[in-house]
């Protein structure tokens, strides 16, 4: 029997009637940031922005461990000083994944080099003749690069760096050394490295070789040979990310959130901790409970930077609950909206907490995951051998089509 159209219409109307009303109100200038977001951002990208803020606030209300990813030239733009450092100091951010470039460029001002606003249309040939380095509408002298290279080269030669280590260990040591330099020079606004060191926030860099800090390690290895023993342990690095996520899932509030600023390697490097646990190591996990991303890329292809939470869910990176009611992709430039949302969040005095200090419990987290992996050792050993004889391919599955 065919379904009754009037019943279908009634059910659809009942669902619609329960939807949130668009509730714009005249702006008086007296509204709190939260009130403005609630009543002046009802549609389009504005609604995406409001929903993202609500998820950021929910991350704090459920006391989630918040993993922040940061890509693009955000420290030259000052986003770390305006937003990231205040969020770390308030205990909001539990772990950070970024690019080596963001950590490198932050050091320019620590040693006395300014980043200035420039005209992006003034002509790059002229900028090159003047030895001015341009990042869109920001610029700095070439000497800023050369002096920063000398700084990191000198630090990397110190005894504590002469061993194999993960990127969180590496950046923790750099932060400790940079903090001492800041104190000696009387730097008033601390760097991202020293702030994370102070508050025990691990810093992961998924492509450490794609940044100038590591380029100086390459120079030192060629100059000093076996005397230079610094090395990044990429195996442990990936394992440590998964271990932290597994630890957070079973400690604190058991909730996890990921806030993605931009996309790129930091996004996927953080999210892949979940497939490593579930798919590779056989350790059950649910994925991130809340997923918020700000990115200019349109969601229209297979790019990792712009893939939505639903696609990530198919890989086990975010939970079903996140896809249904805990995810928002805001199609915008991070620098255009994140300072405003940070202001709105921190204007609420309840939006602060004691720092997680995950760097302090890193070894405990690794041991915690080791125990679960060891329990599955017998079954995992069955996954490390393979023979072509097992494939039994269907010939039609291997055809190549040429049009």
């Amino acid at each position: 029997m065919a379904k009754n159209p009037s019943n279908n219409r009634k059910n659809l109307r009942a669902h619609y009637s329960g939807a949130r009303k668009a509730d714009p109100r005249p702006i008086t200038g007296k509204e709190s940031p939260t009130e403005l977001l609630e009543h002046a951002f009802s549609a389009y990208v504005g609604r995406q922005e409001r929903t993202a803020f609500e998820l950021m606030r929910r991350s704090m209300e459920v006391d989630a461990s918040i993993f922040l990813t940061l890509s693009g030239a955000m420290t030259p733009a000052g986003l770390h000083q305006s937003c990231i450092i205040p969020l770390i100091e308030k205990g909001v951010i539990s772990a950070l994944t970024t690019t080596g470039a963001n950590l490198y460029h932050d050091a320019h001002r620590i040693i006395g080099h300014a980043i200035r606003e420039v005209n992006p249309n003034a002509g790059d040939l002229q900028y090159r003749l003047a030895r001015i380095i341009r990042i869109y509408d920001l610029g700095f002298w070439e000497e800023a690069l050369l002096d920063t290279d000398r700084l990191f080269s000198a630090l990397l030669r110190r005894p504590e760096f002469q061993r194999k280590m993960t990127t969180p260990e590496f950046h923790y040591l750099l932060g400790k050394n940079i903090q001492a330099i800041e104190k000696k020079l009387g730097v008033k606004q601390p760097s991202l490295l020293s702030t994370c060191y102070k508050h025990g926030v691990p810093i992961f860099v998924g492509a450490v070789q794609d940044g100038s800090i590591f380029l100086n390690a390459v120079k030192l290895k060629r100059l000093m040979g076996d005397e230079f023993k610094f090395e990044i342990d990429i195996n442990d690095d990936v394992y440590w990310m998964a271990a932290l996520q597994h630890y957070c899932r079973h400690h604190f509030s058991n909730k996890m959130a990921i806030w993605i600023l931009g996309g790129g390697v930091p996004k996927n490097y953080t999210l892949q901790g979940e497939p490593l646990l579930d798919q590779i190591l056989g350790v059950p996990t649910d994925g991130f409970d809340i997923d918020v991303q700000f990115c200019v890329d349109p969601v229209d292809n297979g790019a990792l930077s712009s893939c939505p939470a639903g696609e990530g869910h198919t890989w086990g990176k975010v939970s079903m609950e996140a896809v249904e009611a805990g995810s928002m992709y805001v199609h915008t430039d991070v620098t255009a909206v994140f300072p405003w949302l940070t202001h709105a969040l921190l204007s609420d005095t309840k939006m602060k907490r004691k720092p997680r200090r995950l760097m302090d419990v890193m070894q405990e987290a690794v041991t915690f995951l080791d125990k679960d992996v060891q329990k599955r050792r017998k079954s995992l050993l069955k996954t490390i051998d393979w023979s072509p004889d097992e494939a039994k391919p269907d010939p039609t599955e291997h055809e190549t089509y040429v049009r």
Side-chain angles (χ1 to χ4, degrees):
M1 178 184 285
K3 293 183 178 179
N4 188 328
S6 63
N7 286 339
N8 285 342
R9 183 167 60 249
K10 183 183 292 186
N11 291 335
L12 289 170
R13 281 178 170 262
H15 178 74
Y16 169 79
S17 297
R20 179 173 179 164
K21 291 182 180 179
D23 185 24
R25 300 179 186 180
I27 295 174
T28 67
K30 298 178 181 179
E31 298 84 2
S32 71
T34 300
E35 289 170 338
L36 193 61
L37 280 162
E38 286 177 347
H39 301 295
F41 293 77
S42 299
Y44 319 133
V45 176
R47 178 176 165 185
Q48 294 174 7
E49 186 178 347
R50 184 199 73 206
T51 305
F53 172 71
E54 291 169 349
L55 292 174
M56 290 167 63
R57 190 168 57 185
R58 188 199 302 177
S59 300
M60 288 294 288
E61 289 170 347
V62 301
D63 198 26
S65 297
I66 299 171
F67 288 70
L68 182 80
T69 80
L70 184 68
S71 64
M74 295 301 172
T75 58
L79 197 78
H80 62 309
Q81 291 169 280
S82 63
C83 303
I84 310 304
I85 288 175
L87 289 170
I88 289 171
E89 291 174 338
K90 296 290 186 182
V92 176
I93 305 305
S94 308
L96 172 68
T97 308
T98 186
T99 60
N102 273 321
L103 303 174
Y104 174 81
H105 289 304
D106 188 21
H108 300 334
R109 63 185 181 83
I110 300 303
I111 57 176
H113 287 281
I115 294 177
R116 302 182 185 278
E117 297 177 5
V118 300
N119 181 353
N121 302 311
D124 289 325
L125 297 178
Q126 286 73 22
Y127 280 139
R128 181 57 182 167
L129 286 172
R131 289 297 196 253
I132 296 172
I133 310 298
R134 183 173 73 89
I135 302 176
Y136 187 57
D137 57 359
L138 299 171
F140 46 87
W141 300 121
E142 183 182 53
E143 287 84 351
L145 299 179
L146 301 178
D147 289 346
T148 305
D149 289 336
R150 291 173 58 208
L151 166 67
F152 283 112
S153 291
L155 293 179
L156 286 169
R157 290 175 55 213
R158 292 184 175 181
E160 61 265 38
F161 289 92
Q162 305 313 306
R163 61 181 178 86
K164 197 172 188 177
M165 63 184 74
T166 61
T167 57
E169 289 177 293
F170 177 44
H171 297 116
Y172 187 78
L173 286 175
L174 283 178
K176 181 179 180 180
N177 281 271
I178 292 292
Q179 184 185 64
I181 292 171
E182 289 171 352
K183 288 181 179 179
K184 188 170 185 178
L185 295 177
V187 174
K188 294 181 179 179
Q189 287 187 297
S191 64
L192 188 56
L193 277 167
S194 66
T195 300
C196 287
Y197 165 74
K198 179 180 178 181
H199 295 281
V201 175
I203 301 177
F204 289 87
V205 172
V208 66
Q209 69 275 27
D210 188 25
S212 291
I213 296 177
F214 193 80
L215 297 187
N216 284 284
V218 173
K219 173 186 68 179
L220 291 171
K221 184 65 177 178
R222 287 300 172 195
L223 289 174
M224 302 174 66
D226 293 341
E227 182 184 342
F228 184 66
K229 302 183 184 303
F230 168 75
E231 186 178 351
I232 294 294
D233 189 333
I234 58 173
N235 194 314
D236 274 1
D237 206 76
V238 175
Y239 192 80
W240 280 25
M241 175 66 83
L244 270 189
Q245 293 175 14
H246 185 55
Y247 186 86
C248 289
R249 175 60 70 191
H250 295 277
H251 294 77
F252 311 114
S253 70
N254 304 334
K255 297 291 185 180
M256 293 197 304
I258 183 168
W259 297 358
I260 304 164
L261 307 186
V265 170
K267 172 185 178 179
N268 194 60
Y269 196 76
T270 305
L271 287 169
Q272 74 176 3
E274 298 297 293
L276 173 58
L277 289 168
D278 191 65
Q279 172 194 339
I280 305 298
L281 299 176
V283 177
T285 187
D286 297 321
F288 284 91
D289 303 290
I290 295 171
D291 177 295
V292 181
Q293 181 172 358
F294 304 86
C295 189
V296 294
D297 294 347
V299 184
D300 64 358
N301 57 30
L304 284 173
S305 287
S306 60
C307 69
E311 184 176 325
H313 175 62
T314 67
W315 292 84
K317 296 175 179 180
V318 300
S319 68
M320 179 176 66
E321 290 76 16
V323 176
E324 292 179 339
S327 172
M328 177 49 59
Y329 186 99
V330 187
H331 189 197
T332 189
D333 180 351
V334 174
T335 63
V337 301
F338 200 70
W340 153 241
L341 294 184
T342 299
H343 168 66
L345 189 73
L346 296 184
S347 67
D348 184 344
T349 57
K350 297 189 297 293
M351 295 294 112
K352 63 179 180 180
R353 62 186 177 186
K354 185 178 179 180
R356 287 277 195 265
R357 298 200 64 87
L358 293 183
M359 197 65 201
D360 295 350
V361 299
M362 185 70 79
Q363 289 305 320
E364 183 180 341
V366 170
T367 301
F368 184 69
L369 178 56
D370 282 343
K371 290 179 179 177
D372 271 347
V373 172
Q374 193 60 34
K375 291 176 186 176
R376 294 161 175 79
R377 181 177 175 80
K378 186 175 180 179
S379 60
L380 288 174
L381 286 173
K382 297 177 182 178
T383 70
I384 63 175
D385 292 316
W386 182 83
S387 166
D389 296 335
E390 299 177 52
K392 299 179 182 178
D394 179 344
T396 62
E397 294 295 323
H398 293 269
E399 291 181 359
T400 300
Y401 295 91
V402 179
R403 296 182 184 273

